[in-house]
Amino acid sequence: MADLVMGMHAEQYYYAGGFDDWFLDTDSPLTAEELAEYFKASLSANGGDMGGPVDALSEPGSVTLRQGTDGTYPTTGQLVTKAALCALSGTGRVSVTSEYTAGVTSIAEIETATSDDLEEWSAWQTVGVNGELQSPNRQYIRFRVTLATQDTARSPKVLEIQLHDIPKAPYEKLGFARPVVLDTNGAWEAVLENAFDIIVTSEVNGADTLEFSLPFHDTKRAMLDNEKQVQIVNDIYRVRTLTDTKDFGKVYNEAVELCAYLCKEYGMTEKNIICHSEGHAQGIASNHGDVMHWFPKHGKNMDTFRAAVKERLSGTSGGSTSGILYRVRKSWADKASQKGAFKVLDNAKRCADENAGYSVFDEGGKAVYTGKAAYATYTVKKGDSLWAIAVAKLGNGSRYPEIKKLNGLTSDVIHAGQVLKIPN
């Protein structure tokens, strides 16, 4: 049922409630939610505002600067449209059809803002020189068009504003092709832009074989399944084997190292180490997935893990570890900044390299290694977008999420003058 109606009377906007009976009498298909959405979408539109700088009523199908009672136009005015659907499948391009006199009247600027809920909007951003949409791709979009004139007896006209959805090609110029997952109809479902180690082996049992890897946390891994088809360039392959592999040995050894460090730090032994399932059996932990879903696949269990920790504690593990712990901190005095303590110096160095401003210290507090700078900086210019910056600085627009993550950005909105960290 409708609770709110928006309209105009005597050149003024008005809002009224209590129209439920009218909606019943007319058998209207509209709902309160649809009216509320229309209201929010239209709230910022100013073409019908008789006191505003632009006029969308006097000439049907066009918007001009608003003519004053003396017959003159203001030198500039901004049209703000109602919200329209956006939700692009690819990239967007904005075009404005207008009438103007060169050198006298003009459409001075075209800006956009986008939103997912019609309440929180991104900052206004000017479209690119060819109309490229710079605002983040969201559910709704609104336009702000600046009309200008140097002759107050003339006004430009805006006739139409269009948003063109330009589908993203399945391949980009990345130096080599990427695998594309196909749906049951043979249409492109997902481009695996993060695929690596792509190898095609010719004529194995009479058929070519395609092999590639994806990062473990790539969400598009879920789109791969046995018997699905994958296309690369013009060839199509069927998925026969899926395997999940991590560097188990490295992760296992780092876990042993960490537990040994914590035991030393807090006066415990390997006997104090239990997993979730063991804790649940003792009534002190929840019974959810833990390492015992993983260890047995690699011939390990909690007893072998505790034995490895015991070896570390006794100093009999040998290998490439040293007798001291290397700590990764911003400074020796800043204990709170510590990222970890490692027996293997190379592991400590790697940790320092992954965290800008960190160094490796020995147990005496001496800095034995200073991490490499993890990022460069870039000052945002007008018209920039995260995608364009990723193309220019990282060589691939699809790497823009790395910039967002490094800078702690929660949206794609950036502004001129903003200093961004750029991954090395």
Side-chain angles (χ1 to χ4, degrees):
M1 301 301 292
D3 297 315
L4 184 67
V5 172
M6 168 185 171
M8 285 192 68
H9 176 67
E11 299 184 352
Q12 297 292 326
Y13 288 109
Y14 74 88
Y15 310 99
F19 277 74
D20 291 350
D21 292 340
W22 181 85
F23 271 81
L24 286 173
D25 292 342
T26 59
D27 194 25
S28 170
L30 292 175
T31 65
E33 289 76 16
E34 289 169 330
L35 274 178
E37 181 173 317
Y38 182 84
F39 170 73
K40 289 189 288 185
S42 306
L43 189 59
S44 61
N46 68 346
D49 184 353
M50 303 300 288
V54 295
D55 181 2
L57 300 178
S58 296
E59 294 188 33
S62 66
V63 179
T64 65
L65 292 167
R66 184 171 299 283
Q67 194 171 29
T69 55
D70 59 356
T72 63
Y73 297 97
T75 57
T76 185
Q78 287 185 325
L79 165 70
V80 180
T81 70
K82 71 183 289 285
L85 287 176
C86 183
L88 302 170
S89 63
T91 58
R93 184 172 64 82
V94 178
S95 65
V96 174
T97 303
S98 63
E99 293 180 1
Y100 62 93
T101 303
V104 181
T105 62
S106 65
I107 304 302
E109 189 174 27
I110 305 167
E111 301 168 276
T112 60
T114 54
S115 172
D116 282 324
D117 57 8
L118 295 173
E119 295 180 9
E120 297 291 332
W121 290 87
S122 66
W124 289 106
Q125 288 192 275
T126 304
V127 301
V129 292
N130 294 313
E132 299 90 350
L133 184 67
Q134 304 297 319
S135 298
N137 182 17
R138 293 179 180 168
Q139 190 68 23
Y140 302 97
I141 187 170
R142 60 185 181 182
F143 303 90
R144 186 165 71 179
V145 181
T146 302
L147 294 75
T149 183
Q150 297 183 32
D151 180 354
T152 57
R154 301 182 183 183
S155 170
K157 290 183 181 180
V158 176
L159 303 177
E160 186 177 34
I161 303 172
Q162 288 185 302
L163 175 64
H164 304 275
D165 190 353
I166 304 172
K168 187 176 179 180
Y171 303 117
E172 297 179 44
K173 292 183 179 179
L174 301 176
F176 48 89
R178 301 293 189 183
V180 180
V181 181
L182 305 181
D183 64 17
T184 54
N185 296 316
W188 297 319
E189 186 174 56
V191 180
L192 305 179
E193 64 271 6
N194 296 320
F196 61 97
D197 291 344
I198 304 170
I199 302 172
V200 175
T201 304
S202 297
E203 299 300 323
V204 175
N205 295 326
D208 291 353
T209 300
L210 169 66
E211 295 181 7
F212 60 87
S213 299
L214 285 175
F216 197 79
H217 294 293
D218 191 323
T219 56
K220 293 182 180 178
R221 289 167 61 94
M223 296 184 177
L224 289 169
D225 200 357
N226 285 330
E227 299 305 314
K228 290 200 79 168
Q229 294 189 111
V230 175
Q231 179 177 348
I232 187 164
V233 191
N234 294 320
D235 297 323
I236 296 177
Y237 302 83
R238 190 174 298 278
V239 177
R240 298 298 189 192
T241 306
L242 291 172
T243 57
D244 282 342
T245 57
K246 283 186 175 181
D247 189 348
F248 174 81
K250 176 186 173 185
V251 176
Y252 183 83
N253 288 332
E254 287 182 352
V256 169
E257 199 169 280
L258 175 62
C259 287
Y261 164 72
L262 293 174
C263 285
K264 284 184 176 180
E265 191 79 2
Y266 296 102
M268 298 185 292
T269 72
E270 76 284 353
K271 296 177 182 179
N272 297 111
I273 302 171
I274 60 174
C275 67
H276 261 282
S277 58
E278 291 174 324
H280 178 71
Q282 296 178 27
I284 60 172
S286 58
N287 189 26
H288 65 258
D290 66 357
V291 295
M292 290 314 297
H293 292 283
W294 189 26
F295 278 7
K297 296 179 181 180
H298 300 273
K300 302 291 185 181
N301 55 44
M302 283 305 298
D303 289 333
T304 59
F305 183 81
R306 282 185 282 263
V309 173
K310 182 178 181 180
E311 276 191 329
R312 285 285 197 277
L313 292 172
S314 64
T316 60
S317 59
S320 60
T321 60
S322 65
I324 64 174
L325 285 174
Y326 295 99
R327 291 171 170 81
V328 179
R329 301 177 179 176
K330 288 185 176 179
S331 69
W332 178 249
D334 189 359
K335 295 182 179 180
S337 69
Q338 182 164 306
K339 291 292 184 182
F342 304 84
K343 283 208 172 226
V344 180
L345 180 57
D346 285 344
N347 291 342
K349 289 180 177 180
R350 188 180 304 111
C351 179
D353 288 341
E354 292 171 353
N355 295 276
Y358 279 77
S359 298
V360 179
F361 298 88
D362 64 17
E363 291 182 328
K366 178 183 176 182
V368 297
Y369 179 78
T370 299
K372 300 174 183 176
Y375 59 83
T377 58
Y378 174 77
T379 302
V380 178
K381 299 179 178 62
K382 186 175 180 180
D384 275 341
S385 66
L386 288 173
W387 181 278
I389 294 171
V391 170
K393 298 299 180 181
L394 303 178
N396 182 357
S398 65
R399 293 184 62 188
Y400 80 91
E402 298 176 35
I403 301 176
K404 287 182 65 176
K405 181 178 179 181
L406 183 60
N407 289 274
L409 301 178
T410 57
S411 76
D412 295 341
V413 178
I414 56 176
H415 55 81
Q418 183 176 357
V419 179
L420 296 176
K421 302 172 185 176
I422 307 297
N424 283 334

